[in-house]
Amino acid sequence: MAKHSIFLQILLFVHCTFFIVFPGPGAGRQDHRAALFVFGDSLFDVGNNNYINTSTTFQANFWPYGQTFFKYPTGRLIPDFIAEYADLPLLPPYKHPGNHRFVGGLNFASSGAGVLPETYQELVIDIHMQALHFKKTEELLEQQLGGGNVEAKRTLLSRAVYLFSVGANDYVSPFWTNTADGVFHRYSREEYVGMVIGNLTLVITEIHKAGGRKFGFVGLAPMGCAPMMRAVSPTDTGDDSCYEDVNALIKLHNAALSQLLRTLESELQGFKYSLFDFYTSAMERINNPSKYGFKEGKHACCGSGPYGGFLSCGEKRGLEYELCGNPSEYVFFDLVHPSDTAYEQFSELMWSGPPSVVWPNNLRALFESSVEDCMVPPSGVSVEL
């Protein structure tokens, strides 16, 4: 293990990409294009946090991040792989100062973002602010499509896919910041999950009102089994301990999200969705790493402390950390984020996995679904919850 003096990023990445409607790698192009609008946290963040006033806790634009693929400090995330399968170019973050055209879609995600505005408030771009950024983008689309072209904008928004990975920070942050006792004294677990789901519902319905019809969701991973949560778990008894209070909340959220999407499918005109069971897929690799080509499922490749779960990975953090020799042998690259190899496996499941892991559509099926089925009527009518 090589020692370095460095920093580390804390919660979920974020990444977006531009989608043309392709069946998959090597397939022939279809006649129409579909934009991709990405919302969420560090699982998808391609750099928005580099352009806001935040701390290095919520950034990853430094070594050793990105060493596996890009060879400079930025990670290859799930939407990058999806774009690769679809033979598509990547999109810059919304906050990038040189970002002027966005008819192909945009990435609004922010590392550390939650559904609740209180989650890491003033340090990240929460999901409601991301929705406002989308609203500003929507208002400019008519100009970019040619002189106030309302119908062209309506068509673009109805064909687009809206991809979400958000919620994990809402459940992890109370335990990470030692405020869980206060939070769950005020709210029951069910009430807290209800607040998260309720706020997410508002964002989804607003995007639907704007014309969105195709939505992709990444369910929450077993965050209680991430190195960062194992390292602070009060029930730590060895290599197999997870922070079960966190996982219990995650399970409640995933069940509520699944129910919400079934409800929206029946109540919102043209609503189609894809939901990836991240929890089961991640847990399988954590508990049975060799089955999926890994050597280590519980310890991070980059970090310090128990399980490599301390916030220390990265050259801007000024802390000692250890870096493994081969990140592809690890399920986790750092205290919470998957390795490049694990991201690729999850991406393949999202893109073309069976109904047992992604339902009722995988992303490939969602992009191939008939545009006409999702078109917004001239009146722009939609059902609100």
Side-chain angles (χ1 to χ4, degrees):
M1 297 288 219
K3 296 249 183 184
H4 300 264
S5 207
I6 274 184
F7 143 100
L8 175 65
Q9 173 186 14
I10 173 171
L11 271 182
L12 291 69
F13 285 54
V14 200
H15 215 279
C16 144
T17 154
F18 162 66
F19 267 96
I20 306 170
V21 185
F22 295 138
R29 300 194 177 192
Q30 298 185 19
D31 293 334
H32 50 271
R33 293 171 179 261
L36 179 66
F37 295 99
V38 175
F39 304 83
D41 48 36
S42 60
L43 280 179
F44 288 172
D45 184 3
V46 292
N48 280 302
N49 280 14
N50 297 340
Y51 305 101
I52 65 174
N53 184 21
T54 188
S55 73
T56 52
T57 298
F58 302 101
Q59 296 173 328
N61 56 335
F62 43 83
W63 183 263
Y65 291 103
Q67 64 162 303
T68 303
F69 179 71
F70 287 114
K71 309 304 179 185
Y72 61 88
T74 184
R76 182 167 62 159
L77 307 179
I78 285 173
D80 295 311
F81 286 104
I82 300 299
E84 180 182 333
Y85 305 151
D87 192 25
L88 302 170
L90 307 177
L91 286 183
Y94 170 80
K95 285 288 188 178
H96 191 286
N99 184 27
H100 302 298
R101 278 192 65 81
F102 34 79
V103 293
L106 274 178
N107 177 0
F108 302 98
S110 169
S111 180
V115 178
L116 301 177
E118 297 80 10
T119 299
Y120 302 125
Q121 194 167 21
E122 297 183 354
L123 290 170
V124 301
I125 309 168
D126 67 69
I127 198 68
H128 294 281
M129 184 58 65
Q130 292 179 35
L132 288 176
H133 290 163
F134 169 74
K135 184 67 176 177
K136 293 178 182 178
T137 301
E138 177 198 350
E139 292 170 354
L140 294 172
L141 274 173
E142 292 179 25
Q143 300 174 20
Q144 295 203 355
L145 291 169
N149 194 329
V150 176
E151 290 302 319
K153 183 190 76 169
R154 181 179 292 131
T155 298
L156 185 151
L157 294 177
S158 67
R159 288 175 173 171
V161 170
Y162 302 82
L163 189 60
F164 285 80
S165 170
V166 69
N169 290 292
D170 297 294
Y171 302 113
V172 169
S173 60
F175 298 92
W176 183 256
T177 58
N178 295 317
T179 60
D181 289 344
V183 170
F184 297 112
H185 177 74
R186 295 193 302 272
Y187 308 103
S188 70
R189 266 61 176 172
E190 291 75 13
E191 288 172 335
Y192 190 79
V193 171
M195 290 192 301
V196 174
I197 292 295
N199 276 267
L200 182 58
T201 302
L202 292 175
V203 173
I204 295 170
T205 53
E206 281 302 307
I207 292 174
H208 179 271
K209 185 189 299 183
R213 293 298 182 266
K214 300 180 182 182
F215 292 80
F217 296 88
V218 178
L220 302 188
M223 298 300 297
C225 298
M228 66 178 290
M229 286 289 99
R230 288 184 190 270
V232 299
S233 173
T235 58
D236 183 12
T237 58
D239 288 343
D240 294 326
S241 64
C242 296
Y243 205 145
E244 293 304 337
D245 284 352
V246 177
N247 280 349
L249 282 166
I250 296 294
K251 290 177 182 177
L252 284 174
H253 174 94
N254 284 340
L257 175 61
S258 182
Q259 179 58 54
L260 169 66
L261 296 178
R262 288 194 296 269
T263 299
L264 295 180
E265 185 180 37
S266 66
E267 296 187 5
L268 297 184
Q269 178 184 357
F271 184 89
K272 296 185 178 184
Y273 72 93
S274 172
L275 176 59
F276 173 52
D277 183 3
F278 198 8
Y279 191 102
T280 300
S281 297
M283 190 65 85
E284 287 178 350
R285 286 157 178 80
I286 291 169
N287 291 332
N288 305 288
S290 61
K291 182 178 177 181
Y292 299 94
F294 302 101
K295 290 185 178 180
E296 177 54 59
K298 299 178 176 65
H299 293 257
C301 164
C302 181
S304 62
Y307 312 101
F310 290 171
L311 186 63
S312 58
C313 177
E315 293 178 349
K316 291 186 179 180
R317 299 244 164 101
L319 300 173
E320 290 291 315
Y321 74 95
E322 293 184 336
L323 179 65
C324 71
N326 186 357
S328 66
E329 296 178 347
Y330 287 68
V331 174
F332 289 98
F333 179 73
D334 68 9
L335 78 173
V336 69
H337 302 101
S339 65
D340 185 87
T341 301
Y343 271 129
E344 183 172 16
Q345 292 184 10
F346 297 138
S347 300
E348 289 173 352
L349 292 173
M350 290 175 62
W351 176 254
S352 58
S356 59
V357 295
V358 57
W359 65 85
N361 306 283
N362 55 35
L363 285 180
R364 174 175 176 172
L366 199 65
F367 276 96
E368 290 180 359
S369 61
S370 171
V371 171
E372 288 73 19
D373 291 344
C374 300
M375 288 292 287
V376 184
S379 62
V381 174
S382 65
V383 179
E384 293 187 56
L385 295 182

